[in-house]
Every structure is written in structure tokens, then in C-alpha cells.
Amino acid sequence: MNICIGFLFSLTGITSLTEIGQYRAAVYALEKFQKDNSKSNITFTFEARDIRSDPIESYRQALDMARSGIKVFVGCYTSACRKAILPVLEQYDCLLIYPALYEGQEIHPNVFYVGEIPNQQITSLLKFTIEQFGKKVYLIGNDYVYPRYTNQQIREMLYELDGKVIGEKYVPLGHKEFSTYLEEIKHSSSNAILSTLVGESILPFYKMYYELGFNPEEMPIISPITTELEIQAMGPKYAAGHYSCFSYFQSLDIPENDLLVKGMKEKYGLDTVISSVMCSTYIGVQIVLDAICHLQSTERKKITKYLYEKEFSSPSGKIKIESNHHLSREMRIGKAKENGQFEIVWSSEKQIFARPLLTNTLVDSMDDEGIWKVLVDEMGREVSDGIIAVDQDNKILYTNPLAIDITKAKSGDLFDDANLLDKGYEVIKRKMRKPYNAFLIFLKKGSAKTISQAKEKYQFGNIVTYNQAFQKELRIASTSSQFDANVLILGETGTGKEVLARTIHEQSPRRNGPFIALNSGAIPRELIASELFGYVEGAFTGSKKGGSIGKFEAANGGTLFLDEIGEMPLELQVSLLRVLEERKVVRIGDYKERPVNVRVIAATNRNLKEEIAYQGSFRSDLYYRLNVFTIHVPPLRQRIEDIPYLSIQFLHQFHQYYGKGPLELCDSALQMLHSYHWPGNIRELKNIMQRAFLLAIHEPKILPLHLPEDFQNSSTIKQHFVGNLKYVEKQMIEQVLQETKNMTEAAQILGITRSTLYRKMNKWNIRKKRSKEQ
């Protein structure tokens, strides 16, 4: 059995210096695994694509390989490229091994994150920097996802360490002129420069630092990105004296690393150097190939389940794969030497547990305040709320990522709720119980009652919405209904595109004519032409006697709805375009042209512009012929104002069908519906409401217990937290103690020291369980 692995690396572009090394490590890892497992019944090959440091190119190449059947990918160095291919991974249920350090603000079921994250890397760097050089730090990075999010977390961590950000600058990717920035840094009071520059920006920054006469003994560059690879490219003298933090350095003296270094030099030459991201790539390829061989499968769910809690020896030491799709590992800080290698000057000496999403606090030294910060962050993600902690003067102490996206505010700013109501957010402020001298602010996308009451509804046919964005789209739909011009409806699966198309027809002068629907994605490609255009008797094997008219003729005088138009085969698009232009059809096997008077409405969940630009799988002339009126149907998660109305509407439909049952939802049940993210959109809401209706058929209202378990768990966490934060803390400690083997493991998972854990157990009168520890 042969299995092909997809490699997505920038072999050209602004980050190619780093990614070419990753590509080489991936090739070496695959070949070495193949050699070491030569008796296996599986042979591995790879297909490499150059993503050119470009998110759009990453998407295009990943989509093409996924369509060809590749299920496992390795690569995508920048977070922008990783995020760009997530829709492809979801659509084709593929797995990405992501072998790069990153900002730690993601846990995706289709990704394994093999690189370091901030609570492992940045926390270690900051503590070392403050202890060795001082508390004043200047931040400089490229202007994209990783530096922005990482520096937000650095601000939070420095706040806890009583440190200070002296300056913060961002430059475009590939930027090379740093004299102005370095002059500003030179005249600042900074003790160290923390650089999140990547790719082509790294080399000129270090060189300019050197040429301006900076002294690394007084103000070093501290980096979570600069490796042996960049040092080799710039020249060792420019990097000497500066510091980096990784789980791996080439100078690491362990047998597994000796083998890696020897093998890479034999394959690529004696001047080959190995970086941390190269080592992570090697590790990622090895563990996923091992899983595939063991399982005899490339199924994503099987691979992830197999890898959970596995421990491996690696060139960077012992690693553990956690169920949060990240690696726990030992961390090290290295000082660059004149020979281009690093002298390891600090080590954690034990694995640091990977804590994605919970990394904007110093989790290994939390006090009481630290614990509630972690709880806020975790709970905010569970119930989809933006949450901000402020002091008595309304100064922001802490924000979870969703609140950052909503407000664009950061720690140290004053919280301002102006314009939040206009954006559809309800602001709820709650005082923390003593001893916490702070307030929690919940940014909710309106409540079940207030949202619908706050805005006027708009109705087009039987479609009702309180959402302003959807109202604009429905006004376009209303206008389009009065003309015969073609309409293209865009939106995710389950948003109600066919309902909208039917409503346009019913509100048009063609309302008395037929409405015919055809799903291009549900019909075998060899039958679509006969379905659309019809056929004559004997046109092909299996054709029925007398032939048959097609959908175009059936819709004569009315509307033809072509759903999932993006799935239509390219060769058939030419015929469709001709019919739209000439208003005539020719049945398959016939020569006679038959005039048709049809208004066409098409719909798709695909981005047809990208299909045209990057795939060549959709004709641009057909796109512009269909795209006279374009209507975007927003997903349900962006129009939660409509959930109360839609839910009641569904209940009335079910009540009419069954002749009994509830017609209302209680407020808490509605709140649960608002907190859910609705990947299946309105179709999923209807299914959920039907299930709840049948469970509550003898009750007057839908209650929380009638909703699925996912909804109930989300609400329970929220109610416990808002009602009594201390009780949540007590519950969490009790649960962790029950699920762990000893006090050390429990303290590690909670992110506190053992002494703090003992103190809290005494505070809450939690009995110590029997331990193997002495």
C-alpha cells in the first residue's frame, strides 16, 4: 500500500530561508522512516508544493492536493498560511502536522501543533530576561498574526512580572531597513530587545544592530524565532551574544540528536545546520508515519486518538503528545556563539505542559488572581463570550482573545463600552467577590429578549430577520425579484439558500410559473447534462422510451434554481453558458433548438472567485453571467438576533404537524442557543428544535434539559462561574486530584506549585488522597 504525504513549504518567498530547511528535514524524516521500517506493508511517498509564503497560494495548493486524495499534510510555517488552509482540512477531513512555534491561540481538531507555544517559550524567555538583564523590554516584530498575538501575551506576562514594555513596533513581512527603529531603541531605557521578526527581516536587523555598535552584553536581542539557520545565513559574528529559546538546539548532546545531525549532514552536506523548526518537522513526520503504520489508516480521527498521551524519545529529548494536540517538552535558552552554534545557558530540566489558549499568564506561578484569569479565559471560550477583567478605575487587567477581537483593546487601556451596543453586544458588568478587587465584563451578542427588541425586523416574503447585515441582503433580493436578471446566492451549507431562491420566485412576476430546483452536487456528473437539457429516445444506454425533457424546459415560464453550481463539471459549464446567452436548449441526441423562457438563480457555498483565479475549475464568463445580483446569506452565528424568531417558528410548525407540544422556550434555553456556534446553521437549529420539541411534547416550554448535552454543559460551566468563582476553583481542584496519580501531576495540570496546591486544599478543606510520593 502506498500513501502520499503532502508537504506545504515556502521554497520561494520571504520565509523560504526557514522553510527550505523544514522541507529538507521532512524529506529526510520520511526517507529515514521508510528505511527503518522497510518490512512494513506501507510505502510512503510525498508530494511537495511551493506555497511561496502566501496564504492564498497555501489554500490553493492544499485544496488541489486534498482533491487528489491526500489526507495528511506537513508544513505551513506562518500562522496566516496555517489558518488559510483550515477550511480545506475541514471540508476533506485532512490532518495537518504543523511544525512551527506559534502564538498558541488555537486548538483545531484537524491540526497537530508540533512547535513551541508561548507558555513554554515566551514565559521562559521573559523570566530569564528580567533576571539577567532587567524589566524594561522593547518589542519589535513583523506585522502579522504571530507577533501581534504573542506580544499581547508578553504584555500580560510582563504585567505579572512587574516588567514594562518600553516600545512596540511592527514592520511589514520582508522589511529590511531598521536604522530608524534601532536609533529609537538606542536612546530608550530598554534592557533587552524581544524580536518576533521572521524570514528576510531577521538578517538585516541583526546586521544593523552590529553596525550601529550595540553591545549584546548590555542590551541583547532575545528571540523565540532566530535559529542556527538564520545565523548561518547572516554570519555568526552578527548573532554572537544574543539569545534564543527553543526546545531544541543543534548543540544538544543526546544520542537521538547525534543521529539526526549525522544523518542530515550525510544527506545534505557537512555545512548543514539544523534548527528547532527543522527538528519539529522531523518529529512531526516521524510520529504521524508511525501512527499510520500502526493503524494501517490515514483517517484523521484514528490518528489523533492514537497519538493522544503518547511519549517519544526525540532529538530534543522526551516529548509527550497531549490531548490538546500540542507537545509537552523541555525548554532551553541558548546564547549564540562565534561558531554559529548555541551554548545552552538555561534549561527547564523537565517537560513544560503545553497550555494553548491559556497562555497569557505565567501559569507555572499562579496565585489566586492567576487562577481566576485562567478560568475566565477557558470559560469565555466555552460559552463564546468576550470577557474582560478591569480594576476599580475601569483599567483593563486582562482580556480573552474574543474580547480583543471585539474591542481592539489591550491590557492597560481604559475599557470603553461606546459603540458596543451598536455592534449588537450587550455589556454585563459583575463585581468579583472578595478578596478579588476587580470587575468582570461580559460582552454578549445580545440576550434572547433584548436583541429582538432592540432592532426592527425586516420581512421579505416569509423570511424575517432582525440582523442588519441580512436585511441589506434581503433588500437586494427584493429588488432582484422584480427583474429577470440572474441571481447568485452565496452562503454556507444550511443557511437557507434554496428558501431564499424560492422566495425570490414567489415575489416575482413569474410566481405563477414553475420553480424547479437541481442540486449539481447530488447528481452523478455523467447525468447532469441530461437532467438539465433533456434527451431524445435512444440518446444513450438506459434512456427511457420517448425521451425526456430537462429542467430548463420544465421551468419554462418560471425559475430554475441551480444549487451547488460550483460542483458543476467544467465541460458542462460551456453548454450552460450557451443556454443562458441564447435562451435555447438542445436535448442530448437531438439537433433541434427549443426556446426557453427561464429565470436562473444559482447558489453555492464555494468562493467562485477563488475557483476561477486559483483552480481554473469555474469559468469566469459563466460566473459573470450568473452574477448580476449577488446575495450573501450570513451564517446563523452572525445573525443570532434571529434565533428566537426562528426557534418559535419551528415550534409552531411542529405543533401544527403533531397537534400538540410546546410553543415556547424558557429564557435559559434561549440563552444556550445563543451561546452555541451553529456549524450546521439554520438546518442544524431546526433539527435541534425538533429533537427538543419531541422530548418536551407534554411540557408547556422547552427547557435546558431538552437540549443536547453540549448545550447543557456550556451553560452549567457559565452558571457556576458567574454564581460563585470560588466554587469553580474548588471543583476544579477536586476533579484534578481525582483524575491524577499524585500531587506533582495535579499541581502541573492546575498550573500552580505544589505548595500553592497544599494551601488551597487546606483552604477548601479538601482531603489529601493517598499518594505514591514520599
Side-chain angles (χ1 to χ4, degrees), residues 669-680:
L670 273 173
Q671 189 58 60
M672 288 183 183
L673 298 182
H674 278 131
S675 298
Y676 187 58
H677 59 287
W678 298 110

Side-chain angles (χ1 to χ4, degrees), residues 371-404:
I371 285 182
W372 69 254
K373 284 184 177 181
V374 170
L375 288 174
V376 166
D377 210 358
E378 185 170 344
M379 204 278 296
R381 287 176 180 81
E382 191 70 28
V383 299
S384 301
D385 284 353
I387 303 179
I388 301 174
V390 299
D391 63 15
Q392 292 185 14
D393 299 321
N394 237 25
K395 180 181 177 181
I396 296 176
L397 303 172
Y398 174 81
T399 56
N400 75 336
L402 182 56
I404 295 172

Side-chain angles (χ1 to χ4, degrees), residues 365-471:
S365 61
M366 287 194 298
D367 54 12
D368 289 342
E369 185 178 18
I371 285 182
W372 69 254
K373 284 184 177 181
V374 170
L375 288 174
V376 166
D377 210 358
E378 185 170 344
M379 204 278 296
R381 287 176 180 81
E382 191 70 28
V383 299
S384 301
D385 284 353
I387 303 179
I388 301 174
V390 299
D391 63 15
Q392 292 185 14
D393 299 321
N394 237 25
K395 180 181 177 181
I396 296 176
L397 303 172
Y398 174 81
T399 56
N400 75 336
L402 182 56
I404 295 172
D405 291 340
I406 295 168
T407 65
K408 310 304 179 187
K410 57 184 181 294
S411 297
D413 293 344
L414 291 178
F415 174 69
D416 182 6
D417 61 359
N419 301 322
L420 287 176
L421 182 60
D422 292 341
K423 293 180 180 179
Y425 287 94
E426 181 183 3
V427 179
I428 300 174
K429 190 172 183 179
R430 297 186 184 276
K431 180 73 171 70
M432 293 291 295
R433 295 171 182 259
K434 292 183 178 181
Y436 305 120
N437 191 23
F439 294 86
L440 288 182
I441 296 173
F442 293 84
L443 307 179
K444 306 175 64 58
K445 196 64 173 171
S447 68
K449 295 181 179 179
T450 58
I451 288 180
S452 296
Q453 293 172 352
K455 298 178 180 178
E456 294 182 359
K457 72 177 182 180
Y458 178 83
Q459 185 164 356
F460 173 57
N462 292 323
I463 301 176
V464 174
T465 183
Y466 293 88
N467 179 268
Q468 291 182 346
F470 194 29
Q471 287 179 11

